[in-house]
Amino acid sequence: MKLAQAITHIFGRYLPSPFTIAVLLTFLTLLLAWGLTDNQSEGNHLAALLAYWENGIWDSGLLVFAYQMMLILVLGHVLVLSPPVETLVRKLTEYVTNSANAALFVVLPTLLVSYFNWGLGLIFGAILARKVGEHAQTHSIPINYPLIGACGYAGLMVWHGGISGSAPIKVSEEGHLQALMAGMPNSEVLTHLPDTIPTSETIFSQGNLLVFLAVVLVLSFLAFRLGKTTKPLLPKLTVYRFIRENSATEGAERLDSSRVLAVVF
Protein backbone atom coordinates (compact mmCIF):
# COMPACT_ATOMS: atom_id res chain seq x y z
CA MET A 1 0.00 0.00 0.00
CA LYS A 2 2.93 2.37 0.65
CA LEU A 3 4.01 2.07 -2.99
CA ALA A 4 0.46 2.71 -4.21
CA GLN A 5 0.16 5.74 -1.91
CA ALA A 6 3.50 7.09 -3.16
CA ILE A 7 2.43 6.76 -6.79
CA THR A 8 -0.91 8.41 -6.03
CA HIS A 9 0.87 11.29 -4.30
CA ILE A 10 3.31 11.83 -7.17
CA PHE A 11 0.63 11.84 -9.86
CA GLY A 12 -1.73 13.97 -7.79
CA ARG A 13 0.95 16.56 -7.09
CA TYR A 14 2.78 16.76 -10.42
CA LEU A 15 0.33 15.62 -13.13
CA PRO A 16 -2.28 18.20 -14.23
CA SER A 17 -5.62 17.49 -15.89
CA PRO A 18 -5.73 16.08 -19.46
CA PHE A 19 -6.94 19.40 -20.88
CA THR A 20 -4.06 21.26 -19.24
CA ILE A 21 -1.64 18.70 -20.69
CA ALA A 22 -3.15 19.27 -24.15
CA VAL A 23 -2.70 23.05 -23.80
CA LEU A 24 0.91 22.66 -22.62
CA LEU A 25 1.70 20.29 -25.49
CA THR A 26 0.19 22.81 -27.91
CA PHE A 27 2.52 25.52 -26.60
CA LEU A 28 5.48 23.14 -26.72
CA THR A 29 4.74 22.16 -30.32
CA LEU A 30 4.36 25.82 -31.30
CA LEU A 31 7.72 26.71 -29.73
CA LEU A 32 9.46 23.76 -31.42
CA ALA A 33 7.98 24.68 -34.79
CA TRP A 34 9.00 28.32 -34.30
CA GLY A 35 12.56 27.43 -33.38
CA LEU A 36 13.25 24.46 -35.67
CA THR A 37 11.46 25.33 -38.93
CA ASP A 38 12.05 27.94 -41.59
CA ASN A 39 9.56 30.66 -42.40
CA GLN A 40 7.65 29.59 -45.52
CA SER A 41 5.63 32.80 -45.79
CA GLU A 42 6.50 36.42 -46.48
CA GLY A 43 5.10 37.64 -43.16
CA ASN A 44 5.96 36.92 -39.55
CA HIS A 45 6.94 33.30 -38.87
CA LEU A 46 5.01 33.05 -35.59
CA ALA A 47 1.89 34.55 -37.15
CA ALA A 48 2.11 31.99 -39.97
CA LEU A 49 2.38 29.13 -37.46
CA LEU A 50 -0.66 30.42 -35.57
CA ALA A 51 -2.55 30.56 -38.87
CA TYR A 52 -1.65 26.92 -39.59
CA TRP A 53 -2.82 25.99 -36.11
CA GLU A 54 -6.12 27.85 -36.58
CA ASN A 55 -6.75 26.17 -39.94
CA GLY A 56 -6.13 22.80 -38.35
CA ILE A 57 -8.49 23.48 -35.45
CA TRP A 58 -11.34 24.40 -37.80
CA ASP A 59 -10.66 21.73 -40.41
CA SER A 60 -14.04 20.26 -41.37
CA GLY A 61 -12.79 16.67 -41.27
CA LEU A 62 -11.31 17.08 -37.80
CA LEU A 63 -14.50 18.75 -36.54
CA VAL A 64 -16.56 15.80 -37.78
CA PHE A 65 -14.18 13.41 -36.03
CA ALA A 66 -14.28 15.44 -32.80
CA TYR A 67 -18.08 15.47 -32.89
CA GLN A 68 -18.15 11.71 -33.37
CA MET A 69 -15.89 11.22 -30.35
CA MET A 70 -18.05 13.54 -28.21
CA LEU A 71 -21.18 11.61 -29.16
CA ILE A 72 -19.54 8.31 -28.21
CA LEU A 73 -18.57 9.66 -24.79
CA VAL A 74 -21.76 11.61 -24.03
CA LEU A 75 -24.21 8.95 -25.22
CA GLY A 76 -22.21 6.24 -23.46
CA HIS A 77 -22.37 8.28 -20.25
CA VAL A 78 -26.13 8.74 -20.64
CA LEU A 79 -26.62 5.04 -21.26
CA VAL A 80 -24.69 3.95 -18.17
CA LEU A 81 -26.98 6.12 -16.01
CA SER A 82 -30.12 4.50 -17.43
CA PRO A 83 -32.28 2.16 -15.30
CA PRO A 84 -31.38 -1.05 -17.23
CA VAL A 85 -27.65 -0.52 -16.73
CA GLU A 86 -28.22 0.46 -13.11
CA THR A 87 -30.09 -2.81 -12.60
CA LEU A 88 -27.20 -4.74 -14.18
CA VAL A 89 -24.69 -3.02 -11.88
CA ARG A 90 -26.74 -3.81 -8.79
CA LYS A 91 -27.14 -7.45 -9.87
CA LEU A 92 -23.39 -7.86 -10.32
CA THR A 93 -22.61 -6.45 -6.88
CA GLU A 94 -24.85 -9.06 -5.24
CA TYR A 95 -22.36 -11.80 -6.13
CA VAL A 96 -19.42 -10.12 -4.41
CA THR A 97 -18.26 -12.18 -1.42
CA ASN A 98 -14.50 -11.56 -1.36
CA SER A 99 -11.75 -9.52 -2.99
CA ALA A 100 -11.03 -12.12 -5.69
CA ASN A 101 -14.52 -12.44 -7.16
CA ALA A 102 -15.06 -8.68 -6.69
CA ALA A 103 -12.12 -8.05 -9.03
CA LEU A 104 -13.45 -10.63 -11.50
CA PHE A 105 -17.00 -9.21 -11.48
CA VAL A 106 -15.62 -5.76 -12.25
CA VAL A 107 -12.96 -6.50 -14.86
CA LEU A 108 -14.91 -8.99 -17.01
CA PRO A 109 -18.11 -6.93 -17.58
CA THR A 110 -16.03 -3.78 -18.06
CA LEU A 111 -13.98 -5.42 -20.83
CA LEU A 112 -17.10 -6.68 -22.60
CA VAL A 113 -18.89 -3.34 -22.36
CA SER A 114 -15.81 -1.40 -23.50
CA TYR A 115 -15.58 -3.56 -26.62
CA PHE A 116 -19.06 -2.32 -27.50
CA ASN A 117 -18.54 1.38 -26.68
CA TRP A 118 -15.55 3.05 -25.04
CA GLY A 119 -17.61 5.92 -23.63
CA LEU A 120 -19.99 3.44 -22.02
CA GLY A 121 -17.16 1.25 -20.76
CA LEU A 122 -15.23 4.16 -19.26
CA ILE A 123 -18.13 5.28 -17.04
CA PHE A 124 -19.60 1.81 -16.51
CA GLY A 125 -16.34 0.41 -15.12
CA ALA A 126 -15.87 3.34 -12.73
CA ILE A 127 -19.43 3.18 -11.40
CA LEU A 128 -19.34 -0.62 -11.13
CA ALA A 129 -16.11 -0.46 -9.12
CA ARG A 130 -17.67 2.16 -6.86
CA LYS A 131 -20.85 0.16 -6.26
CA VAL A 132 -18.81 -2.99 -5.54
CA GLY A 133 -16.86 -1.02 -2.94
CA GLU A 134 -20.09 0.25 -1.37
CA HIS A 135 -21.53 -3.29 -1.32
CA ALA A 136 -18.41 -4.58 0.40
CA GLN A 137 -18.57 -1.79 2.94
CA THR A 138 -22.26 -2.38 3.69
CA HIS A 139 -21.80 -6.14 4.13
CA SER A 140 -18.42 -5.85 5.91
CA ILE A 141 -16.54 -7.68 3.17
CA PRO A 142 -12.80 -6.84 3.12
CA ILE A 143 -11.56 -6.17 -0.42
CA ASN A 144 -8.55 -4.55 -2.08
CA TYR A 145 -10.33 -1.43 -3.29
CA PRO A 146 -7.36 0.00 -5.28
CA LEU A 147 -7.34 -3.28 -7.25
CA ILE A 148 -11.08 -2.96 -7.86
CA GLY A 149 -10.57 0.59 -9.10
CA ALA A 150 -7.86 -0.57 -11.51
CA CYS A 151 -10.20 -3.28 -12.82
CA GLY A 152 -12.82 -0.59 -13.50
CA TYR A 153 -10.48 1.02 -16.05
CA ALA A 154 -9.28 -2.21 -17.68
CA GLY A 155 -11.64 -1.52 -20.58
CA LEU A 156 -9.14 1.04 -21.88
CA MET A 157 -6.95 -1.93 -22.90
CA VAL A 158 -9.46 -3.25 -25.45
CA TRP A 159 -11.64 -0.36 -26.60
CA HIS A 160 -9.70 0.53 -29.73
CA GLY A 161 -10.05 -3.01 -31.02
CA GLY A 162 -13.79 -2.79 -30.39
CA ILE A 163 -16.81 -1.51 -32.26
CA SER A 164 -16.14 2.12 -31.31
CA GLY A 165 -12.42 2.08 -32.16
CA SER A 166 -11.53 5.38 -33.85
CA ALA A 167 -8.97 4.22 -36.42
CA PRO A 168 -10.83 1.15 -37.77
CA ILE A 169 -14.07 3.13 -38.04
CA LYS A 170 -12.45 6.05 -39.87
CA VAL A 171 -10.55 3.90 -42.39
CA SER A 172 -13.79 2.07 -43.21
CA GLU A 173 -15.18 5.36 -44.56
CA GLU A 174 -14.87 5.64 -48.33
CA GLY A 175 -12.05 7.92 -49.44
CA HIS A 176 -10.79 8.63 -45.91
CA LEU A 177 -7.25 7.31 -46.50
CA GLN A 178 -6.82 9.27 -49.72
CA ALA A 179 -8.05 12.46 -48.07
CA LEU A 180 -5.76 11.88 -45.10
CA MET A 181 -2.67 11.43 -47.30
CA ALA A 182 -3.59 14.04 -49.92
CA GLY A 183 -0.84 16.40 -48.79
CA MET A 184 1.98 13.92 -49.41
CA PRO A 185 4.55 15.08 -51.98
CA ASN A 186 4.67 11.64 -53.62
CA SER A 187 1.29 11.27 -55.32
CA GLU A 188 2.11 7.72 -56.48
CA VAL A 189 1.54 6.49 -52.92
CA LEU A 190 -2.14 7.44 -53.20
CA THR A 191 -2.64 5.04 -56.09
CA HIS A 192 -1.70 2.11 -53.86
CA LEU A 193 -4.05 3.03 -51.03
CA PRO A 194 -7.40 1.23 -50.85
CA ASP A 195 -10.56 3.30 -51.02
CA THR A 196 -11.76 1.73 -47.79
CA ILE A 197 -10.70 -0.93 -45.26
CA PRO A 198 -13.88 -2.68 -44.08
CA THR A 199 -14.40 -3.57 -40.43
CA SER A 200 -14.40 -7.24 -41.43
CA GLU A 201 -10.64 -6.87 -41.89
CA THR A 202 -10.06 -4.88 -38.67
CA ILE A 203 -12.55 -5.05 -35.80
CA PHE A 204 -14.16 -8.34 -36.77
CA SER A 205 -11.09 -10.02 -38.19
CA GLN A 206 -10.08 -13.37 -36.72
CA GLY A 207 -6.76 -12.00 -35.44
CA ASN A 208 -8.36 -9.08 -33.62
CA LEU A 209 -11.05 -11.27 -32.05
CA LEU A 210 -8.41 -13.75 -30.85
CA VAL A 211 -6.37 -10.93 -29.29
CA PHE A 212 -9.49 -9.59 -27.57
CA LEU A 213 -10.35 -13.05 -26.23
CA ALA A 214 -6.79 -13.54 -24.98
CA VAL A 215 -6.81 -10.16 -23.20
CA VAL A 216 -10.15 -10.94 -21.56
CA LEU A 217 -8.96 -14.33 -20.30
CA VAL A 218 -5.55 -13.09 -19.10
CA LEU A 219 -6.89 -10.00 -17.32
CA SER A 220 -9.74 -11.94 -15.72
CA PHE A 221 -7.32 -14.54 -14.38
CA LEU A 222 -4.84 -11.88 -13.26
CA ALA A 223 -7.51 -9.83 -11.46
CA PHE A 224 -8.86 -12.92 -9.70
CA ARG A 225 -5.36 -14.01 -8.71
CA LEU A 226 -4.40 -10.58 -7.40
CA GLY A 227 -7.63 -10.48 -5.44
CA LYS A 228 -6.57 -13.66 -3.67
CA THR A 229 -2.99 -12.63 -2.94
CA THR A 230 -3.29 -8.93 -2.04
CA LYS A 231 -4.26 -7.68 1.41
CA PRO A 232 -7.98 -6.83 1.69
CA LEU A 233 -9.33 -3.96 3.79
CA LEU A 234 -12.82 -2.71 4.55
CA PRO A 235 -13.44 0.32 2.30
CA LYS A 236 -14.82 3.60 3.66
CA LEU A 237 -16.94 5.26 1.01
CA THR A 238 -19.89 7.59 0.69
CA VAL A 239 -22.87 6.22 -1.24
CA TYR A 240 -22.98 7.15 -4.94
CA ARG A 241 -26.55 7.63 -6.17
CA PHE A 242 -27.73 7.30 -9.74
CA ILE A 243 -29.55 10.32 -11.15
CA ARG A 244 -33.16 10.45 -9.99
CA GLU A 245 -35.94 12.97 -10.59
CA ASN A 246 -37.41 13.62 -7.16
CA SER A 247 -39.69 16.54 -8.01
CA ALA A 248 -42.86 16.24 -10.05
CA THR A 249 -42.62 17.51 -13.63
CA GLU A 250 -45.23 19.62 -15.38
CA GLY A 251 -45.95 20.63 -18.94
CA ALA A 252 -43.08 20.40 -21.40
CA GLU A 253 -40.74 19.26 -18.60
CA ARG A 254 -42.32 15.83 -18.87
CA LEU A 255 -40.50 15.35 -22.15
CA ASP A 256 -37.17 15.46 -20.26
CA SER A 257 -38.06 12.26 -18.42
CA SER A 258 -40.26 10.66 -21.10
CA ARG A 259 -39.59 6.94 -21.38
CA VAL A 260 -41.26 6.80 -24.82
CA LEU A 261 -39.07 9.58 -26.22
CA ALA A 262 -35.92 7.97 -24.82
CA VAL A 263 -36.74 4.53 -26.24
CA VAL A 264 -37.65 5.87 -29.68
CA PHE A 265 -34.50 8.02 -29.82
Side-chain angles (χ1 to χ4, degrees):
M1 289 297 294
K2 290 183 178 180
L3 177 61
Q5 291 173 353
I7 294 174
T8 301
H9 174 74
I10 292 173
F11 275 85
R13 184 175 179 84
Y14 299 107
L15 190 69
S17 68
F19 181 76
T20 303
I21 294 175
V23 172
L24 293 176
L25 287 176
T26 301
F27 284 131
L28 176 61
T29 304
L30 182 63
L31 289 174
L32 290 175
W34 189 25
L36 301 178
T37 62
D38 297 325
N39 190 2
Q40 301 295 324
S41 63
E42 297 180 356
N44 183 272
H45 188 27
L46 181 59
L49 291 175
L50 289 173
Y52 294 146
W53 177 77
E54 182 185 12
N55 292 335
I57 286 290
W58 299 110
D59 178 76
S60 58
L62 288 178
L63 287 177
V64 170
F65 175 72
Y67 189 69
Q68 290 171 334
M69 294 303 101
M70 286 189 292
L71 278 179
I72 290 176
L73 179 59
V74 172
L75 296 181
H77 195 168
V78 170
L79 183 58
V80 81
L81 297 176
S82 66
V85 177
E86 178 185 355
T87 301
L88 173 61
V89 169
R90 296 189 184 278
K91 288 290 184 182
L92 290 172
T93 59
E94 293 176 359
Y95 296 98
V96 172
T97 57
N98 53 60
S99 189
N101 67 17
L104 179 62
F105 285 132
V106 172
V107 71
L108 182 57
T110 300
L111 289 171
L112 297 177
V113 168
S114 297
Y115 182 82
F116 173 72
N117 179 290
W118 68 263
L120 173 63
L122 181 65
I123 310 301
F124 174 85
I127 292 181
L128 177 58
R130 179 74 177 193
K131 300 309 289 186
V132 165
E134 293 174 9
H135 174 84
Q137 176 178 274
T138 303
H139 295 82
S140 300
I141 303 172
I143 61 172
N144 189 311
Y145 190 60
L147 172 62
I148 305 304
C151 291
Y153 288 97
L156 296 176
M157 299 181 69
V158 300
W159 75 270
H160 203 268
I163 299 174
S164 65
S166 304
I169 287 180
K170 295 301 292 184
V171 297
S172 67
E173 298 177 2
E174 293 185 2
H176 174 75
L177 287 175
Q178 285 85 349
L180 189 66
M181 308 297 288
M184 291 188 62
N186 187 0
S187 59
E188 294 183 2
V189 176
L190 299 179
T191 61
H192 300 287
L193 292 176
D195 185 55
T196 178
I197 301 178
T199 54
S200 60
E201 298 181 13
T202 54
I203 298 173
F204 301 110
S205 66
Q206 184 178 10
N208 184 64
L209 293 176
L210 287 175
V211 169
F212 171 68
L213 179 61
V215 172
V216 169
L217 294 177
V218 170
L219 287 184
S220 297
F221 172 78
L222 182 61
F224 186 81
R225 183 63 181 170
L226 288 174
K228 279 188 170 297
T229 56
T230 54
K231 182 180 179 180
L233 296 171
L234 192 63
K236 297 179 181 180
L237 305 168
T238 56
V239 176
Y240 173 85
R241 301 190 181 279
F242 288 85
I243 295 175
R244 281 282 182 265
E245 293 291 342
N246 297 322
S247 58
T249 56
E250 298 179 354
E253 290 181 348
R254 295 178 180 178
L255 291 175
D256 296 336
S257 55
S258 170
R259 184 182 299 270
V260 174
L261 182 62
V263 171
V264 171
F265 177 73

